[in-house]
Amino acid sequence: MTFNIKSYLQQTTSVAPLVLFRIGFGVMMLMSIIRFWAKGWIETIYIEPDFHFSYYGFEWVKPLGDYTYWLFIICGIAAFMVAIGYKYRLAIITFFLSFTYIELMDKTTYLNHYYFISLVSFMMIFLPANINFSVDAFLKKTSFKSIPKWNIDTIKLMLSIVYFYAGIAKLNSDWMCRAMPLKIWLPSKYDLPFIGETLMQQNWFHYAMSWSGMLYDIAIPFLLLNKKTRWFAFSMVVFFHIFTRILFPIGMFPYIMIVGALIFFDPKLHQKVIRVLRTGINSLFHIKQKLISKETYSLKFKTQTQLLFGVFFTLQLLIPFRHLLYPNELFWTEEGFRFSWRVMLIEKMGYATFKIVDGETGTFFYVDNQDFLTPFQEKQMSFQPDFILEYAHYLGDHFKNQGHKNVQVFVESYVALNGRLSQPFTDKTVNLYQEKESFKPKHWIAPFHDDIKGF
Amino acid sequence: MIKRILVLIVALSFVVSCSESDDSGGGSTDNFDRGAMLTFLADNIIIPAYQDLDSKLLTLELSAFEFSAAPNQTNLDILRADWLDAYITWQHVEMFNIGKAEETLYHFQMNIYPANTSDIENNVASGTADLTHPNNNDAVGFPALDYLIYGLGDTDQAILDTYTTHPDAPKYHAHLNALAMQMRSITQTVLNDWTTSYRSEFIGSTANTATSATNKLVNDYIYYFEKGLRANKIGIPAGNFSVIPLPETVEALYSKEASKVLAQEALTAAIDVFNGKAYNSTTTGISYSSYLSFLNRDDLVTAINDQFQESEDKMELLSDSFYDQVNADNTKMTQTYDALQAAVVLLKVDMLQAFNISVDYIDGDGD
């Protein structure tokens, strides 16, 4: 098998899968924004809290008060414009920026699938998803049939990375040998009809779910890529995501993945769907006009775009392994845990008590976290070191501004990981007000007295 | 090709991950009966405790009438004894802020302390105060009675004078009676709801949702242990949340001697609920500890009970009056706080994780 990169880059394919992906993506995103708004989360997550947890280096990204609603409106409109393919380039850039801004406002809400959406929308800036079956094509009276094959393959590769990395992340002793954390999560689904009081309580079922989940994640990209197994793989995708949707509160993510997986199918399927949609729309809007149909669309900055994707994917392949640069247990310190497709791996709960000390007199008092954080923020803060540090600084500043002298901030915290008894999580003798955030390992995280083998 | 990859992965994962023996123990094959747990808690702890409280509040109400009619030392002593009796029983229901109690804000009208004495005096003077108004939450219930029967003067004689020779004495009689009647009346509302309709709703509400009785009960229990018991009774007076200790924030401030009895009773009540020990009886049944055992977490049951024991031991060392204890040797107070705090960690982190119940306040998706 010889792989010639040059001839690969020259292959072309129908644009239909990318066009349908654009529509699906835009519609899903619009629905996500509406859902987020309808649940009142803009208010409770971004507007009500006085304090927000920032990403390192992005401290300047903050909610905009009541204007935060406008941010969501802009993001929603952009998603809709992406779906219909109107002023596509502007729309997708706006979507990428507004969505990413929203996610950067508070890392309490960090979800891998939000990160995934930011990445995909970034990629789509450079993909010509509006050259067919779009308002843009209609207005230009021109549409294209084909695009370079690698354009569509970038999306496939991104989806494959998500699944495959999520799969190998499951190759650890907690997941494989202790069926954790499913062993905690599944029995609590006792109120599901039929399976709640039966399957969900079975030890073997916890293991079966762990192992098959791991196998699913690792194998599904290959099964989707292979023509013979594609339909089987897609039915697995649907089943798996619907099932996890029933079990866990994971919002829109399963639907996004199901729609996303459609891109693996043969273009004939997409063309058929588009034909049906086109007929419907044409008769609805009484459109008779025929577009000039051209063959292959060629990218304007072809080499630069190829280079960009090369760098992009190199980073994507490397970033999830950055935890190897840190000496301690990943699940415990979470240094290098985010942005690496580690989903559903840990059941972690913590309890952190902050002590404000006058460094000179030694007098102290404890902080009631409810005075500063929402319950959601407090929960997330209690077991993630970078949250603890940022909050400690916030408290230090707060009490300093109140007139307290020689402020020192200490934290005593306990964390239980994957069903182990809770252990001290931080060194309570370290004044966190002195510690600075950085990418270096945090020496004040208490050692984890156990060993989790694997990735 | 794909097959080969799969085989490789399976083989690899065996080698990589399972080189140690499986330590997770046997699995559970049958089901934990949450309905039975709720039934036991309702029939053997919650309802009996409310019934007992109701009858003690009746006694208290009658002795308040008696005292108002004849304010003398004897009747004052009886009134005080009945007040303490009811207050002790109250410690068994404060953690059940569920059903009608939650709906009617019952808890906010029974034991918010420290009492706001100027509000109480204003209410006495007006004679028409709305005792259910949120502004009066710290001017009603047990803390308000504490003030009226212990706090109106430095000596018993001075207190009795307020009810006899004071120009407003009739107003004090009326207000004392009104407070006692109000406490019993709102308690009856809650109790009646339990015995008529809420019990069946409660024991049937076993789903794992944010609003089910099972989950609310556990959440309320932990919240109570952390806030009502650990912080209010010990931590706040000991100055754990302030620059200096605040001894005047103890429970039952004016009676001086009652704070330890009440705190001990509250701790006992919490321990009994955890272990499923019936109210005022030796009967035992299904509760949180049995739930944990079912989940193969006997290690946690032991750890929690050890920490309860440690808390009791530390509390035992305190003097009857926490006010005196804070002023004399606050270290013993903070040590009790630390013991309770360690129990909070086990309940809030370990027990909640083991139960994996939906938490009512977390909003947002997971991934």
Side-chain angles (χ1 to χ4, degrees):
Chain A
M1 195 168 77
T2 50
F3 183 78
N4 187 329
I5 187 98
K6 219 168 198 171
S7 72
Y8 166 72
L9 291 174
Q10 278 162 2
Q11 284 175 36
T12 60
T13 184
S14 163
V15 73
L18 184 63
V19 168
L20 215 54
F21 183 83
R22 179 204 86 215
I23 297 170
F25 185 81
V27 170
M28 285 290 176
M29 291 307 110
L30 180 58
M31 281 165 65
S32 299
I33 296 287
I34 293 171
R35 173 176 174 271
F36 202 90
W37 190 319
K39 285 187 173 269
W41 289 346
I42 301 178
E43 192 74 24
T44 58
I45 292 174
Y46 295 117
I47 297 182
E48 277 171 8
D50 295 325
F51 170 66
H52 294 279
F53 288 99
S54 301
Y55 290 92
Y56 183 48
F58 291 92
E59 291 80 6
W60 50 276
V61 182
K62 291 281 171 212
L64 311 171
D66 285 337
Y67 293 105
T68 311
Y69 282 104
W70 282 100
L71 194 57
F72 277 81
I73 289 172
I74 290 168
C75 192
I77 291 173
F80 177 71
M81 282 165 63
V82 168
I84 62 169
Y86 177 58
K87 293 198 186 298
Y88 171 76
R89 194 65 41 111
L90 175 71
I92 190 71
I93 290 173
T94 309
F95 179 84
F96 165 70
L97 291 176
S98 56
F99 188 89
T100 307
Y101 189 94
I102 289 169
E103 294 322 315
L104 289 175
M105 290 193 300
D106 192 331
K107 68 182 169 193
T108 309
T109 53
Y110 172 79
L111 290 182
N112 283 290
H113 81 255
Y114 291 151
Y115 173 53
F116 171 74
I117 286 163
S118 277
L119 291 180
V120 169
S121 59
F122 174 77
M123 289 163 59
M124 285 172 70
I125 293 173
F126 308 97
L127 300 177
N130 63 328
I131 54 169
N132 194 320
F133 194 48
S134 67
V135 177
D136 285 343
F138 176 75
L139 294 176
K140 280 191 188 142
K141 300 185 174 54
T142 318
S143 82
F144 292 87
K145 274 188 193 149
S146 309
I147 48 168
K149 184 168 176 294
W150 65 265
N151 280 194
I152 289 181
D153 287 348
T154 56
I155 305 276
K156 291 184 188 170
L157 179 57
M158 193 64 241
L159 278 163
S160 300
I161 289 175
V162 172
Y163 278 118
F164 189 76
Y165 275 71
I168 57 172
K170 291 183 172 70
L171 292 173
N172 68 74
S173 53
D174 267 18
W175 185 271
M176 306 289 290
C177 302
R178 298 174 65 229
M180 278 292 176
L182 292 183
K183 201 176 209 25
I184 295 175
W185 291 339
L186 296 181
S188 74
K189 307 295 164 191
Y190 55 81
D191 49 353
L192 285 177
F194 307 117
I195 52 172
E197 304 238 314
T198 52
L199 270 188
M200 291 295 155
Q201 309 301 322
Q202 304 297 324
N203 194 36
W204 67 263
F205 186 70
H206 307 149
Y207 281 92
M209 283 288 285
S210 295
W211 281 68
S212 57
M214 179 276 296
L215 287 174
Y216 166 86
D217 278 341
I218 289 181
I220 208 76
F222 303 102
L223 297 176
L224 280 169
L225 282 167
N226 190 312
K227 202 173 174 180
K228 279 185 212 147
T229 52
R230 196 167 290 145
W231 273 106
F232 165 73
F234 187 71
S235 63
M236 291 276 293
V237 169
V238 173
F239 172 78
F240 180 83
H241 285 298
I242 299 282
F243 193 55
T244 51
R245 179 72 186 85
I246 293 168
L247 288 179
F248 307 112
I250 44 182
M252 294 290 290
F253 178 63
Y255 309 115
I256 293 166
M257 290 309 267
I258 291 171
V259 170
L262 285 170
I263 201 165
F264 284 92
F265 279 99
D266 196 89
K268 287 200 191 81
L269 181 82
H270 302 89
Q271 285 160 350
K272 222 180 273 173
V273 176
I274 289 176
R275 212 175 300 135
V276 173
L277 288 174
R278 196 191 295 275
T279 318
I281 287 173
N282 283 354
S283 68
L284 194 67
F285 295 103
H286 307 288
I287 298 171
K288 299 227 168 54
Q289 184 188 6
K290 281 268 182 284
L291 303 185
I292 305 157
S293 185
K294 292 188 178 168
E295 269 309 316
T296 306
Y297 180 86
S298 57
L299 297 181
K300 287 206 185 75
F301 302 98
K302 203 172 95 188
T303 329
Q304 290 91 329
T305 312
Q306 283 167 354
L307 201 67
L308 181 90
F309 275 106
V311 174
F312 176 82
F313 280 114
T314 310
L315 286 175
Q316 283 308 315
L317 292 171
L318 290 178
I319 287 172
F321 284 113
R322 73 188 186 285
H323 69 281
L324 296 173
L325 300 173
Y326 292 95
N328 300 312
E329 170 53 48
L330 172 66
F331 289 0
W332 185 245
T333 67
E334 297 197 39
E335 289 165 328
F337 192 82
R338 286 186 282 258
F339 310 114
S340 53
W341 317 117
R342 292 169 202 281
V343 290
M344 318 216 75
L345 287 178
I346 50 177
E347 165 57 45
K348 217 172 172 188
M349 280 185 94
Y351 189 89
T353 315
F354 290 79
K355 189 159 120 178
I356 309 297
V357 180
D358 181 329
E360 221 139 82
T361 63
T363 53
F364 68 90
F365 59 92
Y366 292 108
V367 174
D368 185 350
N369 292 330
Q370 289 178 16
D371 292 345
F372 301 96
L373 303 178
T374 66
F376 187 26
Q377 287 177 321
E378 188 183 355
K379 179 190 156 71
Q380 296 293 332
M381 178 275 293
S382 65
F383 57 83
Q384 300 186 67
D386 53 337
F387 282 67
I388 290 176
L389 184 60
E390 192 180 351
Y391 179 52
H393 276 268
Y394 174 74
L395 290 175
D397 293 344
H398 174 86
F399 287 109
K400 200 171 162 184
N401 291 339
Q402 270 200 352
H404 291 264
K405 296 267 177 343
N406 315 309
V407 173
Q408 296 182 332
V409 183
F410 296 89
V411 64
E412 181 167 6
S413 73
Y414 295 86
V415 166
L417 172 63
N418 282 350
R420 294 173 179 83
L421 266 184
S422 54
Q423 304 173 18
F425 188 56
T426 50
D427 182 346
K428 61 181 175 183
T429 64
V430 173
N431 174 14
L432 290 186
Y433 203 34
Q434 290 290 321
E435 298 295 323
K436 297 268 176 293
E437 179 60 271
S438 76
F439 286 124
K440 290 192 199 121
K442 294 178 169 59
H443 67 92
W444 46 268
I445 302 174
F448 179 58
H449 299 293
D450 203 348
D451 192 20
I452 302 173
K453 295 190 178 67
F455 284 96
Chain B
M1 176 70 180
I2 288 159
K3 265 185 205 157
R4 247 178 289 157
I5 291 172
L6 284 184
V7 170
L8 187 75
I9 286 161
V10 172
L12 200 74
S13 55
F14 264 118
V15 178
V16 171
S17 68
C18 293
S19 51
E20 61 185 308
S21 65
D22 179 354
D23 61 347
S24 57
S28 34
T29 44
D30 54 353
N31 263 301
F32 184 72
D33 190 346
R34 283 161 207 83
M37 176 172 87
L38 295 181
T39 308
F40 174 80
L41 289 172
D43 293 349
N44 294 279
I45 296 183
I46 302 175
I47 294 174
Y50 268 118
Q51 283 167 333
D52 194 25
L53 178 64
D54 179 48
S55 86
K56 284 180 173 151
L57 285 173
L58 173 63
T59 312
L60 174 65
E61 187 181 309
L62 295 176
S63 49
F65 293 167
E66 194 90 354
F67 173 75
S68 300
N72 56 46
Q73 187 68 47
T74 314
N75 283 340
L76 180 62
D77 289 343
I78 293 172
L79 175 58
R80 285 171 169 177
D82 291 342
W83 166 83
L84 183 59
D85 227 16
Y87 210 168
I88 286 172
T89 307
W90 163 258
Q91 305 299 328
H92 287 265
V93 307
E94 194 173 322
M95 71 187 90
F96 302 115
N97 187 14
I98 189 169
K100 202 57 133 187
E102 185 185 22
E103 187 187 319
T104 59
L105 304 177
Y106 169 66
H107 285 72
F108 294 103
Q109 301 172 52
M110 291 297 279
N111 194 26
I112 299 294
Y113 56 91
N116 185 329
T117 53
S118 62
D119 279 1
I120 298 174
E121 291 292 356
N122 289 339
N123 292 344
V124 170
S126 92
T128 54
D130 176 4
L131 299 180
T132 63
H133 194 280
N135 286 346
N136 274 331
N137 282 345
D138 57 359
V140 294
F142 289 106
L145 290 188
D146 179 35
Y147 172 68
L148 289 177
I149 60 179
Y150 283 103
L152 290 175
D154 289 336
T155 61
D156 284 4
Q157 192 50 53
I159 296 166
L160 285 170
D161 285 349
T162 316
Y163 290 93
T164 47
T165 58
H166 195 283
D168 276 344
K171 287 186 171 176
Y172 279 95
H173 300 161
H175 195 64
L176 179 71
N177 293 346
L179 284 173
M181 284 163 67
Q182 172 71 6
M183 286 164 73
R184 174 143 188 266
S185 152
I186 58 179
T187 301
Q188 279 190 321
T189 308
V190 175
L191 173 61
N192 284 343
D193 190 52
W194 269 102
T195 50
T196 53
S197 61
Y198 188 63
R199 179 190 173 275
S200 61
E201 188 189 320
F202 176 78
I203 63 175
S205 182
T206 58
N208 190 359
T209 61
T211 52
S212 75
T214 319
N215 290 357
K216 280 181 66 95
L217 196 69
V218 176
N219 279 325
D220 287 353
Y221 174 80
I222 293 170
Y223 181 79
Y224 169 73
F225 198 95
E226 186 182 11
K227 192 89 178 63
L229 178 50
R230 179 204 64 143
N232 291 358
K233 293 185 202 296
I234 310 286
I236 292 173
N240 275 324
F241 302 98
S242 50
V243 182
I244 48 162
L246 304 168
E248 63 285 356
T249 62
V250 296
E251 192 174 26
L253 170 68
Y254 300 98
S255 81
K256 296 281 195 252
E257 304 300 308
S259 42
K260 180 181 177 183
V261 180
L262 296 174
Q264 284 184 317
E265 193 69 22
L267 182 55
T268 305
I271 296 171
D272 287 352
V273 167
F274 178 79
N275 287 312
K277 187 174 162 300
Y279 179 73
N280 262 353
S281 128
T282 50
T283 316
T284 53
I286 313 168
S287 192
Y288 305 151
S289 62
S290 8
Y291 195 175
L292 287 173
S293 293
F294 164 80
L295 295 167
N296 290 321
R297 290 307 300 273
D298 283 321
D299 60 330
L300 190 49
V301 175
T302 310
I304 290 174
N305 274 319
D306 287 352
Q307 200 51 47
F308 281 158
Q309 185 62 51
E310 168 81 8
S311 306
E312 283 184 313
D313 292 348
K314 285 284 186 288
M315 203 182 274
E316 184 58 44
L317 299 175
L318 303 176
S319 67
D320 289 345
S321 159
F322 287 174
Y323 180 85
D324 292 345
Q325 184 68 57
V326 171
N327 287 321
D329 179 8
N330 195 32
T331 325
K332 287 209 176 68
M333 284 292 277
T334 55
Q335 283 169 351
T336 309
Y337 176 86
D338 292 343
L340 289 167
Q341 169 69 11
V344 169
V345 170
L346 292 169
L347 295 174
K348 201 171 180 178
V349 176
D350 296 275
M351 186 169 91
L352 264 190
Q353 180 171 82
F355 290 169
N356 191 38
I357 60 173
S358 302
V359 190
D360 49 3
Y361 50 75
I362 303 294
D363 228 358
D365 293 331
D367 71 357

